[in-house]
Amino acid sequence: MLELLDNVLSKVAKPARYIGGEFNAVIKDLNSVDVKFALAFPDVYEIGMSNLGLRIIYEILNRRHDTAAERIFAPWPDMEAEMRRCRLPLFTLESHTPACEFDIIGFSLSYELTYTNVLNMLDLIGIPIRSAERNESHPLIIAGGCCACNPEPMAEFVDAFVIGEGEEIIHELVEVFKLNRSLTRKALLEKLAEISGVYVPALGQHPVRKRLVKDLDTAEYLERPIIPFIETVHDRLPIEVMRGCSRGCRFCQAGMIYRPVRERPQERILKLAECLNAHAGYDEIGLLSLSTADYTGIEGLVHKLIEKYEPEKIGVSLPSIRADASCVELASEIQKVRKSGLTLAPEAGTQRLRDVINKNVTEEDLLSAVEAAFRYGWRTIKLYFMIGLPTETDEDVLGIAQLAEKVSQVAKKMRIRPTVNVSVSSFVPKPHTPFQWRPQDTVEELQRKQSLLRSAIKDKAIQLSWHDARISALEGILSRGDRKVGEAIYHAWKNGCKFDAWDEYFDYEKWLSAFSAAGITPASYANRPRDYSEPLPWDHIDCGISKQFLINEDKRANRGIVTPDCREEGCAGCGVALISGGCPASQNTKQEHEELPNDKLQMMDAEQQPTISQHTPLSRHLVMLQLRKGESVKYLGHLDMLRTFEKALRRARIHLAYTAGFNPRPRMSFGTAIGVGTTSDDERIIIELTCPESVKEIQEKLNSQLPPGLQIFSVEQVQKEAKSLLAGLNVSVFRITAECQEALDSAVAKKLLEKMLSCSELRISRIRADKSKEIDIRPYILSVNVIECSQKLIEFEVTLKTNGSGGAGPRDFLEAARLFFPSLEAKRIHRIKQTTEDERR
C-alpha cells in the first residue's frame, strides 16, 4: 500500500494533502479499539481541515479509549485519476488504511454542491452507492451538518443522518453501535433510529427533532487541534465564542437552525485560548460565531486577548461584524498586531428591501461604519450583497450601485483614494427559513440583474464581482429537493459531475441532462412559489423553529415589517424554547458590554496609516539549526516547511525576533530548498532570537514540537548574517536511486556516465510559470559516481552547485541523464549534506 501510494503521490499536485502525519494527529492501533470511525469531508483537504465541526468530533472520538477516528477527504481530480489507474482505494490519512475497513464512515454535509463528491467518495471506497444495496460487510454510512436539515436529496445514499449538533449524540451513536453491531444491518439501523436526533431514511419519513448542546461551557471542545502542513482556507486558531444568532435575517438558514443563542463564558474562552495556543502555534486567534460582535462583553474579551498575546505577535480576528461604527472601532482594535481586511454586509441596496429581509442595518449605519473604517486606516472595503431577494425590483438592484457610490464618495470627501469591492451573490431560498416558500429567480433573470448592476457602476474605485447564477440555481434545487432529486444527483455523478462548487469543474449542461434522466423539472423545485399548506420534503425534521413563526415572518416580509433582535427587545416566539428547555433570549435582555480601559485605541487622522510598534533588540542572537527530513514528510514543499517550523517555534516558546510592520513574521531563513518528494539529512534554518538561549534547550524544545519525520540534530550559535551564511552553502550532495527501462551492469553504467560528463553542454528544458526555457546545467554538475547498479535500478551520488546566476537540482540532473540512460525514473532522492565550494575543495 505505502509503495503504491508513493508512486501515486509523486505524480500529483499538492501531495501533502494526502500524507497525514500532522502535528497533533492521533494514530491508534486499529486492532486494539472496538469502533473504527472514519470522518469524511466531501471536498479537498484545505477546505475540510477548516471545518470546525469535523475537528471537534475528531478530537471527541479519539478521547475515547474504545474508538479510533481517522480522516478522509475528496481527492482532487489528478489524485483520483491516479488512484483509479492504480486501483488504489480511498484511504485514511492517519494509517493509510482503506476506508472500507472502518466500521462507520461519517460525512460532513456543509454545502449542497458537495453531494456528487459524496457519491464519488463512496465509489472510491468500494462500497455500493445506494444504502439499500449494502450488507453487513459494508461500513455504516452516516451524515450530519447543516445540509442534514433537509436529508431527503441524499436519503437513498446515507444509512442514517444526525440532525443538529454532534458533541453529545456522537457518544450515543458509538455506544449503540458497540452494543448492537452483531445485529443485521436493518436491526442495527432500527436501534440507531431510537436515538433522539437520528433519522434513518429506510424507515420512512419519521419525525426527528434536532439535537442541541445546551451549555457551551461544559461542551467538549478542541484542546489539541491537528496542525495542517499546507495552508488551509481558515488558517487560524478557532475558538467558538457563541452559537446561534438572534438577529432573525429571513434569508439566513444558519440563523434559524442554530437557535437559541448560547454564549461560552469569557473565562472559558480565555482558558481555551491558552490551551489551544500552547498546542497549536497559530499567529491568529479567530473568535467564531454567526455574529461575533453580538457576544456579550466582546470589547473586553478582545482587549484581554490582545493584551495577553500581542507580545507573542498573535493577532485576533472577528470573521463577522455588523455594519456600524462601533463594530468597526472594535475591528480597528485588533489591527494592533495584524492587519486584516474589512467586510460589511448590507445584503440589499435599498432600505425597503433590507426591511423585507429583516436586515436591521440602515444606510446611515453603513456610511458611518465606512467613515470610521477610513479614519482607522482601511483603504479597501468589501461590501457583500444579494440579488434575487423576495420582492426585489430593478430599483433595488440599482440601489446596490448607488450605495457603493456613496461609500466611495465618503472616502473621496476625506481625500482618500479607496477601493470598494462589491461582491454579489444570488439569493437561494433555504429550508427552515421564512423564505422557504418563495420562488427563486431563474438563471436568465439573475443574469439580467447582474448585467443591470454592471452597467450602473461607473465609479472606477468600485470593483464588482458576482457568483455564477447557474451554480446558485443548482443550489436552490438541491437544498429544497426531495428523493427524486436524489436520483438526479446519482445521474449527475454518473455523467462525471464532481467538485460542482469549483468553477473549473462545474458543468451545468450535465446537470440539466441528469434532471432530464431523473424525470424531474428543475423549475418546479426552484422557481415556483409554494403554498403554506403544501407538504414540504423536510417537514418531518424539527429544527426548533415553529412553522407558524416562519409563516408569520414571511407575511411580515411582504409588508416590510421588521422583527427586532429578541435579545434586545424580548422573545419573538420562534418556538426554540420548546426544545431548549427555555431560551436564554426569552428570559434576559442583552447585557451591557464591558467598559474598555482608558487606553482604548484613539481614532487616527484620515491620512494616517495604522502602524505597529515593534521592539527591535539592540543585539542580534542568531542560531543555525540542522535537521533531517524523513520519508513521512518528504512531500512537504518549501512553504509547507516554513509554516510547519513557524508554528513549532511558537509552541516551543522560543524567544523569536519578528519583522516590523503589519503581519509580523518570525525572523528566520531557510537554506536552499529541495524539491517535493526529496528526503534530506542536512536542512539548514537560521533563526533570530531576542535574547540568548541554550542551544541544547532550543534543540530539545523544538524536537518536542515537530511532527514525525522532522528532527533537529544540531544547533549552533552563529555570528554572520543569515543571508550570507546560507548563500555560502551552495553545494549539495545527493544520493539518487532511479529505475531504468533496461537492465544495466556497473561497467555499462559507468561508461554511459563518462560519456555524459565528457559533454561540454547538457541542455534541458525548465518550465517556470508555464514558460519553457532551455538551460545548460553542465557547469553546475561538480561530480557524479555510480554507487550501485542492480537489475534495472541504478544509484548515483551527485554533487550539484547553485549560485546567484543559477544552479541545478537532482531532477535537472535526471532529465539530462535520460539522454544517455534509457528512460530513467526517480525512485528516491536524498540530500546527504550541504557544504561550501571551499570546504569541498
Side-chain angles (χ1 to χ4, degrees):
M1 172 74 172
L2 291 178
E3 185 177 350
L4 183 59
L5 180 59
D6 202 34
N7 290 334
V8 167
L9 292 180
S10 64
K11 297 178 175 65
V12 303
K14 295 191 178 181
R17 286 168 167 162
Y18 314 105
I19 61 175
E22 310 99 318
F23 192 77
N24 287 334
V26 180
I27 302 175
K28 295 185 178 182
D29 179 1
L30 295 181
N31 295 317
S32 68
V33 296
D34 297 323
V35 180
K36 293 178 289 187
F37 207 123
L39 293 171
F41 195 89
D43 212 322
V44 288
Y45 177 93
E46 299 95 299
I47 294 178
M49 282 306 297
S50 297
N51 183 276
L52 181 57
L54 179 140
R55 298 172 83 175
I56 292 172
I57 297 300
Y58 175 89
E59 192 161 324
I60 288 175
L61 286 171
N62 278 316
R63 285 174 188 154
R64 296 179 61 106
H65 297 299
D66 61 354
T67 305
E70 301 192 357
R71 297 160 294 146
I72 51 177
F73 299 94
W76 195 246
D78 63 343
M79 180 65 173
E80 181 194 341
E82 288 298 318
M83 291 173 67
R84 291 192 185 277
R85 182 180 66 82
C86 298
R87 297 184 179 180
L88 180 67
L90 195 57
F91 54 87
T92 60
L93 265 59
E94 279 71 11
S95 63
H96 300 136
T97 301
C100 61
E101 297 180 17
F102 281 70
D103 301 310
I104 304 172
I105 299 176
F107 280 91
S108 296
L109 301 181
S110 57
Y111 186 32
E112 293 85 355
L113 268 67
T114 63
Y115 287 170
T116 52
N117 277 10
V118 173
L119 274 57
N120 201 48
M121 290 173 74
L122 291 174
D123 186 59
L124 285 167
I125 291 168
I127 63 176
I129 303 298
R130 299 182 190 277
S131 175
E133 297 171 2
R134 299 175 198 140
N135 57 39
E136 282 70 19
S137 69
H138 296 122
L140 193 68
I141 305 299
I142 66 173
C146 59
C147 291
C149 69
N150 177 20
E152 293 310 305
M154 294 294 286
E156 296 292 330
F157 316 116
V158 174
D159 297 320
F161 289 88
V162 172
I163 311 299
E165 298 164 358
E167 291 96 326
E168 296 169 359
I169 194 174
I170 194 69
H171 290 295
E172 296 172 36
L173 277 165
V174 171
E175 291 297 332
V176 170
F177 179 83
K178 277 175 56 180
L179 291 172
N180 299 283
R181 65 185 307 162
S182 61
L183 299 179
T184 64
R185 194 176 189 87
K186 181 177 181 297
L188 173 59
L189 289 173
E190 289 173 348
K191 289 289 185 182
L192 290 174
E194 295 174 6
I195 301 173
S196 174
V198 172
Y199 173 58
V200 176
L203 302 181
Q205 291 190 348
H206 53 97
V208 175
R209 175 175 286 180
K210 77 169 182 181
R211 286 296 292 267
L212 187 71
V213 174
K214 294 181 180 179
D215 186 357
L216 291 190
D217 187 19
T218 58
E220 291 190 77
Y221 196 71
L222 293 176
E223 292 180 3
R224 294 176 175 267
I226 295 173
I227 310 303
F229 288 124
I230 66 177
E231 187 174 10
T232 57
V233 174
H234 301 304
D235 204 32
R236 63 193 176 205
L237 189 71
I239 301 181
E240 185 188 28
V241 299
M242 183 172 77
R243 194 171 296 179
C245 179
S246 56
R247 294 204 158 258
C249 297
R250 291 170 179 140
F251 58 84
C252 181
Q253 185 184 62
M256 295 293 165
I257 66 174
Y258 288 118
R259 292 186 177 202
V261 172
R262 290 144 290 162
E263 293 188 350
R264 189 166 264 123
Q266 188 176 115
E267 285 306 309
R268 174 73 169 151
I269 292 169
L270 295 172
K271 288 179 181 178
L272 280 174
E274 190 172 345
C275 174
L276 287 164
N277 182 52
H279 294 131
Y282 285 101
D283 61 12
E284 180 180 303
I285 298 170
L287 302 180
L288 309 183
S289 79
L290 293 175
S291 183
T292 302
D294 289 334
Y295 177 81
T296 304
I298 185 64
E299 290 98 335
L301 174 62
V302 167
H303 182 82
K304 287 176 183 177
L305 289 170
I306 290 174
E307 187 177 50
K308 182 174 178 62
Y309 294 107
E310 183 183 5
E312 300 176 44
K313 299 299 172 277
I314 298 172
V316 178
S317 67
L318 306 177
S320 55
I321 67 168
R322 296 189 310 272
D324 60 46
S326 63
C327 282
V328 171
E329 188 176 355
L330 175 61
S332 72
E333 179 80 359
I334 69 177
Q335 305 297 300
K336 284 183 175 181
V337 183
R338 297 191 176 276
K339 186 173 177 62
S340 61
L342 186 68
T343 300
L344 303 173
E347 308 290 359
T350 64
Q351 192 60 49
R352 184 200 70 81
L353 193 52
R354 286 193 290 275
D355 290 344
V356 167
I357 64 176
N358 208 48
K359 185 74 178 180
N360 288 292
V361 172
T362 66
E363 183 176 299
E364 183 181 356
D365 292 333
L366 178 67
L367 296 181
S368 65
V370 297
E371 181 180 357
F374 291 133
R375 282 183 179 155
Y376 279 114
W378 276 283
R379 298 296 176 262
T380 299
I381 303 289
K382 183 175 182 179
L383 302 177
Y384 182 83
F385 294 93
M386 283 189 286
I387 59 172
L389 288 162
T391 79
E392 183 180 69
T393 66
D394 284 358
E395 182 182 351
D396 297 309
V397 176
L398 294 173
I400 295 174
Q402 293 161 5
L403 191 53
E405 171 73 22
K406 290 177 182 177
V407 169
S408 177
Q409 289 303 317
V410 168
K412 291 172 181 176
K413 286 178 182 177
M414 299 169 70
R415 297 182 181 179
I416 293 169
R417 183 177 296 176
T419 299
V420 182
N421 292 322
V422 174
S423 176
V424 179
S425 66
S426 300
F427 166 69
V428 176
K430 294 281 188 171
H432 305 285
T433 68
F435 291 155
Q436 65 183 355
W437 295 279
R438 296 281 182 164
Q440 185 178 10
D441 276 357
T442 64
V443 170
E444 294 74 21
E445 177 65 0
L446 289 171
Q447 291 174 337
R448 184 191 70 80
K449 289 178 178 179
Q450 289 170 349
S451 297
L452 178 66
L453 179 57
R454 186 168 63 245
S455 63
I457 293 178
K458 308 297 184 184
D459 191 331
K460 291 182 179 179
I462 301 172
Q463 306 295 320
L464 176 66
S465 63
W466 59 89
H467 296 180
D468 189 329
R470 301 170 304 166
I471 290 179
S472 299
L474 177 59
E475 183 183 343
I477 297 164
L478 297 181
S479 66
R480 293 196 294 176
D482 52 20
R483 295 196 187 188
K484 291 180 182 178
V485 169
E487 190 65 23
I489 294 169
Y490 178 81
H491 284 290
W493 169 69
K494 293 293 284 185
N495 288 346
C497 291
K498 57 194 166 192
F499 287 103
D500 297 301
W502 296 75
D503 290 343
E504 59 264 50
Y505 290 105
F506 177 66
D507 192 324
Y508 192 52
E509 294 304 316
K510 286 182 179 178
W511 272 100
L512 292 179
S513 174
F515 290 130
S516 177
I520 65 175
T521 304
S524 68
Y525 288 90
N527 308 126
R528 67 174 179 87
R530 305 189 187 198
D531 191 84
Y532 294 141
S533 61
E534 177 182 340
L536 300 173
W538 53 90
D539 275 345
H540 54 297
I541 304 299
D542 181 0
C543 285
I545 309 297
S546 77
K547 199 168 188 178
Q548 189 57 54
F549 171 78
L550 298 179
I551 291 171
N552 292 343
E553 281 296 288
D554 189 49
K555 290 178 177 179
R556 288 168 73 89
N558 270 336
R559 296 161 60 190
I561 302 174
V562 298
T563 300
D565 186 330
C566 60
R567 292 213 294 170
E568 294 177 347
E569 299 195 26
C571 180
C574 70
V576 75
L578 296 176
I579 69 164
S580 62
C583 175
S586 67
Q587 300 164 9
N588 303 299
T589 57
K590 193 174 178 183
Q591 301 172 22
E592 289 297 318
H593 287 175
E594 292 183 12
E595 186 176 343
L596 276 176
N598 292 329
D599 61 346
K600 186 177 179 180
L601 186 68
Q602 298 298 309
M603 294 184 75
M604 305 174 204
D605 183 84
E607 295 298 322
Q608 181 185 353
Q609 293 284 349
T611 58
I612 297 173
S613 61
Q614 174 70 46
H615 171 69
T616 303
L618 296 176
S619 58
R620 305 182 70 191
H621 307 280
L622 301 178
V623 174
M624 180 183 282
L625 315 174
Q626 283 184 270
L627 64 142
R628 295 186 178 93
K629 182 182 180 184
E631 285 286 330
S632 62
V633 291
K634 69 180 181 181
Y635 287 110
L636 299 191
H638 183 65
L639 290 177
D640 302 331
M641 287 281 287
L642 191 150
R643 277 187 288 268
T644 298
F645 255 88
E646 185 174 331
K647 292 182 175 69
L649 287 164
R650 289 180 184 280
R651 292 192 299 269
R653 316 291 289 179
I654 304 293
H655 295 99
L656 287 170
Y658 285 83
T659 60
F662 280 116
N663 300 317
R665 306 243 64 89
R667 289 186 176 273
M668 63 179 185
S669 302
F670 273 71
T672 307
I674 56 174
V676 174
T678 304
T679 57
S680 176
D681 277 338
D682 188 5
E683 295 301 288
R684 306 288 182 101
I685 304 173
I686 293 179
I687 60 174
E688 184 176 337
L689 309 179
T690 58
C691 59
E693 288 193 55
S694 157
V695 293
K696 182 180 179 182
E697 192 172 325
I698 290 172
Q699 183 174 347
E700 289 176 353
K701 288 198 293 186
L702 266 177
N703 276 332
S704 71
Q705 299 300 324
L706 287 173
L710 291 175
Q711 183 187 35
I712 294 169
F713 63 88
S714 172
V715 181
E716 63 174 313
Q717 294 179 351
V718 293
Q719 301 301 321
K720 278 188 176 182
E721 287 289 329
K723 188 174 182 180
S724 61
L725 255 177
L726 295 174
L729 294 168
N730 62 344
V731 175
S732 292
V733 182
F734 292 92
R735 188 70 58 90
I736 303 173
T737 304
E739 187 174 34
C740 294
Q741 197 175 50
E742 300 172 5
L744 298 172
D745 60 31
S746 294
V748 172
K750 287 177 181 178
K751 285 183 179 179
L752 290 172
L753 182 58
E754 288 173 6
K755 184 178 179 182
M756 174 183 171
L757 295 179
S758 68
C759 296
S760 60
E761 287 189 343
L762 290 172
R763 304 193 75 82
I764 65 167
S765 293
R766 183 178 285 168
I767 298 176
R768 294 286 188 274
D770 296 329
K771 291 183 179 179
S772 180
K773 181 181 179 182
E774 194 174 88
I775 60 168
D776 175 22
I777 67 165
R778 183 64 187 88
Y780 307 113
I781 301 176
L782 301 183
S783 68
V784 187
N785 294 303
V786 175
I787 304 301
E788 189 175 340
C789 189
S790 174
Q791 299 298 321
K792 293 184 178 182
L793 289 179
I794 184 168
E795 190 170 8
F796 301 98
E797 185 172 284
V798 185
T799 304
L800 302 172
K801 183 177 76 169
T802 60
N803 56 37
S805 60
R811 295 190 186 276
D812 295 329
F813 165 79
L814 283 171
E815 185 175 341
R818 289 188 188 102
L819 299 172
F820 304 89
F821 293 84
S823 301
L824 276 183
E825 186 171 341
K827 300 295 288 183
R828 185 172 186 264
I829 301 175
H830 179 74
R831 176 149 70 184
I832 298 171
K833 66 177 180 179
Q834 296 185 73
T835 186
T836 66
E837 284 192 84
D838 291 339
E839 288 175 349
R840 181 176 176 272
R841 294 191 188 102

